[in-house]
């Protein structure tokens, strides 16, 4: 896999923890086991844009009051949505 930062071919799929502020600004949540990329060459660890978009869309479309301070990526994505898609995205 190619690293988006240093373009080295030593990047690997990994599962990392990240922190997101809820859309209403009420709190931040820890999201564990997020599909991510880790590069041995430059040391960068990141989530690809489509994963970030999925998380942000999901947080916009669910009842975030039911989320504890920590949740796994898969648990987050399994929460039923109010709407099928984010109509606020241009």
């Amino acid at each position: 896999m190619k690293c988006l930062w240093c373009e080295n071919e030593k990047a690997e799929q990994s599962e990392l923890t990240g922190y997101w502020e809820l859309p209403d600004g009420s709190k931040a949540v820890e999201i564990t086991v997020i599909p991510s990329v880790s590069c041995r060459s430059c040391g960068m660890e990141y989530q690809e844009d489509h994963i970030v978009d999925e998380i942000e869309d999901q947080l916009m479309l669910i009842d975030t009051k039911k989320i504890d301070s920590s949740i796994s990526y898969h648990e987050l994505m399994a929460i039923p949505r109010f709407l099928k898609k984010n109509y606020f995205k241009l």
Side-chain angles (χ1 to χ4, degrees):
M1 169 172 242
K2 189 174 186 177
C3 176
L4 294 177
W5 294 91
C6 71
E7 298 186 354
N8 192 294
E9 296 291 335
K10 294 185 179 179
E12 298 175 343
Q13 291 284 56
S14 61
E15 294 177 332
L16 300 172
T17 296
Y19 300 87
W20 259 262
E21 183 176 353
L22 297 181
D24 65 2
S26 61
K27 67 179 180 178
V29 295
E30 175 186 63
I31 304 173
T32 61
V33 199
I34 304 169
S36 304
V37 177
S38 296
C39 179
R40 291 182 183 179
S41 179
C42 69
M44 285 301 296
E45 297 179 328
Y46 60 92
Q47 288 81 38
E48 295 175 297
D49 290 342
H50 72 278
I51 297 292
V52 172
D53 288 343
E54 286 177 5
I55 291 171
E56 291 178 354
D57 283 349
Q58 185 71 352
L59 290 173
M60 286 288 293
L61 299 172
I62 63 172
D63 183 1
T64 57
K65 290 176 179 52
K66 296 180 180 177
I67 298 176
D68 290 328
S69 59
S70 182
I71 188 168
S72 77
Y73 171 80
H74 297 292
E75 290 170 332
L76 174 66
M77 299 313 286
I79 296 173
R81 295 177 168 193
F82 291 128
L83 301 170
K84 290 186 180 190
K85 70 179 217 170
N86 185 353
Y87 294 100
F88 303 104
K89 211 175 205 180
L90 301 175

